[in-house]
Amino acid sequence: MGTRLTVGQAVVRFLAAQYSERDGERRRFFAGCFGIFGHGNVAGLGQALLEHADDLPYYMARNEQAMVHTASGYARMNDRLSTFACTASIGPGATNMVTGAALATVNRLPVLLLPGDIFATRPANPVLQELEDARSYDVSVNDCFKPVSKYWDRVNRPEQLPSALLAAMRVLTDPAETGAVTLALPQDVQAEAYDWPDELFARRVWRVPRPVPEPAAIEEAAAVLRSAERPLIVAGGGVIYSRATAGLRAFAERTGIPVAETQAGKGALPWDHECSVGAIGATGTAAANALAREADAVIGIGTRYSDFTTASHSLFADPGVRFVNINVARPDALKLAGIPVVADAGEAIGALDAALDGHSVPDAYRARARELAGRWNAVVDRAFGDGAFGDGAFGERRGGPPAQAAVIGVVNEVSGPRDVVVCAAGSMPGDLHKLWRTRDPKGYHVEYGYSCMGYEIAGGLGVKMAAPDREVFVLVGDGSYLMMAQELATAVAEGVKLVVVLVENRGYASIGNLSESVGADRFGTRYRVRTGTGLDGGVLPVDLAANAASLGADVLRAEGVDGFRDALRAAVASPRTTVVHIETDPLAPAPDSEAWWDVPVAEVSARESTARARARYDDDKKTQRHHL
Ligand SMILES: Cc1ncc(C[n+]2csc(CCOP(=O)(O)OP(=O)(O)O)c2C)c(N)n1
Ligand SMILES: [Mg+2]
């Protein structure tokens, strides 16, 4: 006996029956399906979502890229044990999801993308929005998803659907493989009926594995740590996804090894823990970076060692430094010529702890880490207090808008210990990484794998849907806001409350600073009107607060640090999505990480500023090294 359903209906029934399980905790893998309908999916998946609304709730987004971000935010907040499916029409609706797919895959977050596709049967080609490649009618715009998907398929016949769905689930629930999965669904096939075996719709539980380490790998790793005098742990996102933070804490306390955190790993330890030295790398703390420069052994746990973490391979400067890499993904475990411990973070930390059998670093080293962390905390106090950093030039601008660091300090102060801060691009991710005092492993959500402008509000929506009991503070720059603010309307429609802090500094402060450092004089980074050849006229008459109000959010226009604190408290007290608008000084500096980032500078130039920057670059480049 089978069940006669369309392909669209079968997809919805199947998705509704998938569960994940880890540590005995079982949950639905798909919390629902986001979508925007067009002719490529309205009669197929759209009709199916209507007919099976009780099985799989449908959510309407305002932009296809954004709905994939929402799914990513939701998946990250759920430690990858649950996500959303996303359906788009063919053509532009589909390709709008490509950036979202790349973000999910880079950050290793499970999202299922269901773009509509051109007719499999080709009765009236070309269909509206068809690419029409004259070299092959088998090509469609959905081929763009291939490099940004961990599994990609096109279901040209109903018979192909079961194996495609099972492959999708295999990849989505595999911690070493996960990322975006794309199943392209031709619009005629979506509406086609077929007799499906009943087993396809039976409840299926996908156990998310915790691979255990090989004893030999643990022995080798333990030997390195026993002989190390200045070891340092680099905690990445894998620690948090594995929920290994308690194990890490016990391990660090016993061994005395200081713990530094990547962007995805921030929150692995509470900020004031005795072993915490805070953020590492190009956006790190001076404390973690000093220890990294001296370290003779580095234990990377659940990190992929991006250039921000390694300061573009300039940070780990001890000539004899060795790496031990605990990672569920073998390619990451093998980086920097490390000893690979291919395993779940929690399992490996436990095994290493047992193998070290009470071994501890010398007391003097513990004390040194404490002292460096204490010094950095004083730096943060100062930055939060008045944002007054750097030279006297900033002092002259007093009376103008506050420094961004002071705004971050107020958000940190007003937010509760379990609340979540969300950010992705601009100058705030770096400042947050250095300054934010994390109190909960899920309290810090900065998307820095793809650092995608526009993720903030859309991703924050997913975070709040995953954690309705926590206040979610979305920090968004004016540049990111202008790229993608439309999901405010979705938040209002769904009654999902966000507190959005819109930081207006009239352009791209981050890229402005970078531009200045590479001798490009902040060219093209300010929001100004054109005068002749340049964009250096008056300030743009753009009112982003009014824009936010037009999308249905409540808006508070704050001025100065005290006004901002009052407005933020009011936003927290309100049950509605509220945007707090605050202007900041784009030139106020943040505390220095004392670490480099490799951004190549023009080798020849008629400009003196560029030539000077190149000379500096040539010097910095000498600090870059191979770890072979
Ligand atoms: C989609 C996208 N385009 C371009 C970039 C490169 N980029 C990084 S930060 C930035 C400017 C961000 O401006 P804003 O949100 O105002 O933050 P600010 O730099 O002013 O703090 C740009 C263009 C990016 N990260 N993402
Ligand atoms: Mg800006």
Side-chain angles (χ1 to χ4, degrees):
M1 272 297 289
T3 310
R4 192 162 173 80
L5 295 172
T6 68
V7 166
Q9 292 158 0
V11 168
V12 171
R13 284 275 306 271
F14 176 87
L15 298 183
Q18 305 309 301
Y19 289 75
S20 67
E21 187 179 282
R22 198 176 62 175
D23 306 331
E25 185 184 327
R26 184 177 294 190
R27 60 180 89 183
R28 275 183 72 156
F29 192 70
F30 296 102
C33 183
F34 268 91
I36 292 180
F37 298 128
H39 66 92
N41 61 344
V42 67
L45 270 172
Q47 190 278 341
L49 285 162
L50 167 68
E51 201 160 304
H52 295 279
D54 292 341
D55 296 334
L56 194 72
Y58 163 72
Y59 297 91
M60 181 178 176
R62 270 71 192 170
N63 174 298
E64 292 89 353
Q65 178 184 325
M67 71 192 179
V68 186
H69 294 340
T70 302
S72 288
Y74 185 89
R76 175 164 165 180
M77 202 59 198
N78 274 294
D79 293 326
R80 314 194 285 203
L81 300 171
S82 181
T83 186
F84 280 96
C86 297
T87 168
S89 187
I90 73 170
T95 51
N96 265 358
M97 295 201 293
V98 172
T99 298
L103 182 147
T105 293
V106 169
N107 285 283
R108 289 116 193 247
L109 293 168
V111 298
L112 176 62
L113 309 182
L114 303 169
D117 212 326
I118 53 175
F119 282 89
T121 51
R122 306 176 186 169
N125 285 12
V127 65
L128 174 68
Q129 302 168 325
E130 180 169 340
L131 177 68
E132 205 182 9
D133 187 333
R135 295 163 300 177
S136 168
Y137 292 150
D138 189 43
V139 171
S140 92
V141 294
N142 285 341
D143 290 273
C144 293
F145 284 97
K146 284 181 181 171
V148 291
S149 299
K150 300 301 295 248
Y151 180 80
W152 182 100
D153 210 344
R154 181 182 280 128
V155 179
N156 279 310
R157 297 185 52 81
E159 293 91 325
Q160 297 169 337
L161 184 67
S163 61
L165 288 171
L166 293 174
M169 288 308 300
R170 161 175 58 81
V171 171
L172 289 168
T173 57
D174 180 341
E177 274 297 306
T178 196
V181 166
T182 302
L183 299 184
L185 300 171
Q187 62 178 110
D188 48 350
V189 178
Q190 281 181 52
E192 199 174 330
Y194 185 76
D195 289 316
W196 307 96
D198 288 331
E199 306 89 89
L200 184 62
F201 309 118
R203 171 184 289 217
R204 225 171 268 264
V205 181
W206 299 82
R207 203 167 46 74
V208 176
R210 288 192 179 279
V212 295
E214 287 182 290
I218 289 294
E219 255 328 300
E220 217 182 325
V224 168
L225 293 187
R226 268 193 225 102
S227 65
E229 286 168 15
R230 301 173 305 280
L232 176 70
I233 291 171
V234 177
V239 174
I240 292 174
Y241 296 139
S242 160
R243 297 200 184 143
T245 55
L248 174 67
R249 186 178 178 148
F251 178 73
E253 284 167 6
R254 255 192 290 282
T255 59
I257 304 177
V259 177
E261 296 170 335
T262 71
Q263 281 276 15
K266 192 168 160 86
L269 289 188
W271 71 278
D272 53 356
H273 186 270
E274 55 173 315
C275 296
S276 171
V277 291
I280 190 168
T283 53
T285 70
N289 287 344
L291 293 174
R293 265 187 285 273
E294 300 164 7
D296 57 355
V298 175
I299 310 137
I301 312 179
T303 176
R304 63 195 187 100
Y305 289 112
S306 85
D307 64 345
F308 265 74
T309 299
T310 65
S312 301
H313 284 205
S314 71
L315 190 57
F316 302 109
D318 185 286
V321 63
R322 300 186 63 190
F323 294 85
V324 170
N325 300 324
I326 296 171
N327 209 295
V328 75
R330 191 168 166 79
D332 290 320
L334 283 162
K335 285 177 178 171
L336 307 178
I339 293 169
V341 180
V342 181
D344 168 75
E347 293 289 342
I349 291 168
L352 201 51
D353 204 3
L356 282 174
D357 194 22
H359 169 83
S360 165
V361 300
D363 285 348
Y365 184 62
R366 283 188 192 241
R368 170 152 170 74
R370 277 311 327 128
E371 197 221 318
L372 287 169
R375 258 191 258 164
W376 181 259
N377 285 331
V379 167
V380 177
D381 282 341
R382 237 178 102 206
F384 280 180
D386 59 7
F389 263 84
D391 51 26
F394 175 62
E396 288 169 24
R397 284 193 298 274
R398 290 299 183 81
Q404 183 165 286
V407 166
I408 289 173
V410 171
V411 180
N412 213 161
E413 170 199 326
V414 170
S415 63
R418 290 186 71 253
D419 293 346
V420 190
V421 63
V422 178
C423 195
S427 55
M428 273 187 288
D431 290 3
L432 285 165
H433 194 209
K434 291 174 198 174
L435 303 175
W436 187 264
R437 290 171 163 170
T438 323
R439 295 150 287 179
D440 180 280
K442 303 306 291 184
Y444 184 85
H445 186 117
V446 174
E447 185 283 294
Y448 215 60
Y450 212 44
S451 187
C452 184
M453 290 171 77
Y455 175 83
E456 295 86 352
I457 293 171
L461 181 64
V463 171
K464 182 71 178 181
M465 291 173 84
D469 60 327
R470 300 181 192 234
E471 206 69 65
V472 174
F473 294 86
V474 172
L475 267 51
V476 59
D478 47 355
S480 276
Y481 179 91
L482 265 178
M483 270 203 198
M484 204 180 279
Q486 76 293 324
E487 297 313 305
L488 281 175
T490 305
V492 171
E494 297 290 346
V496 173
K497 186 216 167 171
L498 300 175
V499 176
V500 179
V501 176
L502 170 46
V503 175
E504 174 113 58
N505 56 19
R506 310 207 174 267
Y508 303 159
S510 53
I511 307 301
N513 286 333
L514 181 60
S515 169
E516 197 167 304
S517 75
V518 298
D521 301 346
R522 293 185 179 262
F523 175 66
T525 61
R526 284 176 300 202
Y527 287 164
R528 294 289 151 84
V529 296
R530 180 170 295 284
T531 51
T533 54
L535 290 169
D536 47 13
V539 166
L540 272 188
V542 170
D543 186 344
L544 297 182
N547 177 278
S550 79
L551 293 173
D554 289 351
V555 174
L556 300 170
R557 294 175 190 258
E559 259 180 57
V561 172
D562 292 335
F564 177 64
R565 184 181 292 105
D566 292 343
L568 199 62
R569 289 210 171 109
V572 169
S574 166
R576 287 174 41 82
T577 286
T578 305
V579 175
V580 181
H581 178 272
I582 176 78
E583 187 154 347
T584 59
D585 184 338
L587 301 179
D592 193 1
S593 279
E594 299 169 20
W596 177 61
W597 185 34
D598 188 348
V599 179
V601 179
E603 201 166 356
V604 292
S605 165
R607 304 179 69 85
E608 220 219 304
S609 59
T610 312
R612 267 200 315 271
R614 177 68 199 197
R616 263 198 319 274
Y617 177 74
D618 288 336
D619 281 344
D620 287 335
K621 191 83 179 157
K622 292 180 192 135
T623 64
Q624 196 168 46
R625 60 180 291 200
H626 293 290
H627 296 284
L628 299 174

